[in-house]
Amino acid sequence: QDYRGAYQRDRDRIIHSAAFRRLSGKMQVFTGEMGDYHRTRLTHTHEVASIARTVARALRLNEDLVEALALFHDIGHPPFGHAGEDALDECVADEGGFSHNRQAIIIATELERRYTEYPGLNLTQEVLEGQQTRADKQCKGNAPLLEVQLVDCADSMTYDAHDTDDAVKLGWVAIEEMAKLALIRDALQEVRQKYTSLTGDLLRKALVHQLLDRQVRDVLATAGSFLATCGWQSTRDVRESSFRIGPSQEMKEQKAELEKFLYREVYRHPRILSVRTDAQTRLKELWEVYCDRPELLPPHFQGRAERIGVRRAAVDYIAGMTDRFCLQRHQELTRA
Ligand code: MG
């Protein structure tokens, strides 16, 4: 007897994939040299899955599908985050470019191998299609499933909160400085009503808790009241609607203000910029080595190079690397 539903199987197939495990060695925003407190791509993914499931249960969406989608959403990320993504994108710019969202689908349908009969992880159509709508976000057309919308929204709630946490913990920004932002100011006010004299680490943790809580409550209020009264009968109603699960207008503005601040003070911090330039140079050099000498690729990527061309196959191989493995390979293969 089958003791798992289809989306539970998706979740397990994702968790047991090599690409998922490697998320632990891939940076989210900060690298390993900057400490060991901050999020990696893997812990970010777990936080997204946890928040998304909580909201899914409250909204009575399909929790198993939400969990699978959340665990899958960043699986296509190359080493060195968006810096790595941009570098690989330049490498194959003439052949359609590189995007981590599209790469997730290539991983799930071509690169991972577990079955003798076919390549890929054999995920359900709902998970693959959900990821596809992430990949072509600009595309007009039918609305994604509510579960897909929710994971998107949970991703944003999660990184706004944890990037604030990590940046304050690293001392790159101060809570006092961030208090000029509406979302932080309101969250701090709520913290101080409860604990008047909180400082330091405990204040930071209480603030991050508030940031998540405020965003979750906001989405529950906005989406909850709509879904309770819309009278939808099937996914067709979802697909034909212009409704999207997301923050209220006020929260949207507050989040945009926070994100602008994080972009300026954290994502474009001199230490991140130097990691960025360095990683991009190394990724491109490594890619060129593999293009010139495809025999250096592992055997199944050599086969792939023969089928789809070495330029793209080398990108697929490099995109799967952890940050550390990528640096190691670069050092070994570019040493004079
Ligand atoms: Mg994410």
Side-chain angles (χ1 to χ4, degrees):
Q1 194 198 330
D2 239 345
Y3 52 90
R4 292 176 299 172
Y7 305 131
Q8 287 176 291
R9 277 202 295 270
D10 282 342
R11 175 201 60 206
D12 297 341
R13 286 166 183 174
I14 293 162
I15 285 185
H16 292 283
S17 69
F20 184 79
R21 284 193 300 280
R22 291 201 187 109
L23 294 176
S24 70
K26 296 189 181 204
M27 60 177 273
Q28 177 74 15
V29 174
F30 308 96
T31 64
E33 297 91 74
M34 296 169 186
D36 57 9
Y37 173 86
H38 58 257
R39 277 67 176 175
T40 64
R41 200 54 72 178
L42 182 68
T43 59
H44 159 75
T45 296
H46 281 305
E47 289 186 29
V48 174
S50 151
I51 289 167
R53 280 191 54 173
T54 299
V55 178
R57 189 177 301 183
L59 293 178
R60 296 185 171 197
L61 302 184
N62 189 315
E63 246 180 275
D64 291 336
L65 175 56
V66 161
E67 185 179 25
L69 284 163
L71 293 173
F72 188 61
H73 89 282
D74 266 353
I75 212 169
H77 253 290
F80 300 107
H82 292 283
E85 175 164 38
D86 294 345
L88 294 180
D89 188 42
E90 282 176 37
C91 291
V92 284
D94 297 337
E95 293 128 274
F98 175 90
S99 106
H100 75 272
N101 282 323
R102 245 184 295 139
Q103 193 65 14
I105 296 171
I106 296 174
I107 288 170
T109 56
E110 299 176 38
L111 296 179
E112 287 280 336
R113 296 178 308 167
R114 349 190 28 95
Y115 306 103
T116 47
E117 299 90 338
Y118 43 80
L121 295 173
N122 193 24
L123 303 181
T124 59
Q125 189 54 36
E126 286 76 12
V127 169
L128 291 177
E129 191 213 78
Q131 185 65 26
Q132 187 62 44
T133 63
R134 288 177 66 84
D136 33 47
K137 246 181 211 142
Q138 263 56 282
C139 265
K140 293 259 179 316
N142 286 345
L145 293 177
L146 292 170
E147 285 79 4
V148 176
Q149 300 177 26
L150 168 56
V151 169
D152 222 31
C153 167
D155 189 22
S156 160
M157 298 195 245
T158 310
Y159 60 65
D160 280 351
H162 70 42
D163 290 349
T164 299
D165 185 34
D166 292 347
V168 172
K169 170 75 180 174
L170 279 167
W172 290 13
V173 294
I175 290 181
E176 297 70 32
E177 180 193 355
M178 295 186 79
K180 64 186 178 199
L181 308 167
L183 183 57
I184 304 285
R185 182 196 61 217
D186 292 355
L188 280 174
Q189 202 178 0
E190 210 163 321
V191 170
R192 295 224 159 94
Q193 268 168 14
K194 249 182 166 171
Y195 312 101
T196 41
S197 57
L198 216 50
T199 54
D201 276 6
L202 284 176
L203 176 63
R204 188 189 75 246
K205 287 172 189 175
L207 169 66
V208 173
H209 171 93
Q210 271 300 322
L211 286 178
L212 287 173
D213 190 49
R214 294 180 84 79
Q215 294 185 86
V216 168
R217 281 180 195 286
D218 174 77
V219 167
L220 285 180
T222 327
S225 57
F226 177 85
L227 293 174
T229 53
C230 63
W232 285 349
Q233 298 297 315
S234 74
T235 51
R236 178 189 286 183
D237 298 320
V238 176
R239 295 206 184 271
E240 290 174 354
S241 168
S242 61
F243 167 81
R244 297 289 185 276
I245 294 180
S248 63
Q249 191 53 39
E250 191 194 357
M251 182 56 80
K252 206 186 260 175
E253 284 160 21
Q254 292 194 348
K255 278 167 70 67
E257 186 192 30
L258 170 62
E259 285 164 11
K260 221 170 118 191
F261 175 89
L262 289 173
Y263 185 87
R264 208 177 50 230
E265 303 297 327
V266 182
Y267 310 145
R268 287 295 175 267
H269 188 281
R271 283 195 62 190
I272 298 276
L273 287 180
S274 84
V275 168
R276 198 180 154 81
T277 331
D278 188 57
Q280 293 191 326
T281 312
R282 287 170 200 252
L283 275 173
K284 285 184 197 164
E285 285 173 1
L286 185 58
W287 178 73
E288 277 163 17
V289 170
Y290 285 122
C291 287
D292 290 344
R293 301 177 60 195
E295 71 275 12
L296 294 174
L297 290 167
H300 61 286
F301 279 96
Q302 289 181 32
R304 188 165 170 81
E306 280 159 27
R307 288 193 304 279
I308 66 167
V310 69
R311 296 165 63 86
R312 173 64 65 174
V315 161
D316 288 337
Y317 179 51
I318 293 171
M321 295 179 176
T322 59
D323 302 346
R324 190 184 48 213
F325 184 75
C326 178
L327 291 181
Q328 258 172 24
R329 265 296 110 99
H330 176 269
Q331 231 211 337
E332 284 165 20
L333 297 181
T334 61
R335 235 184 342 221

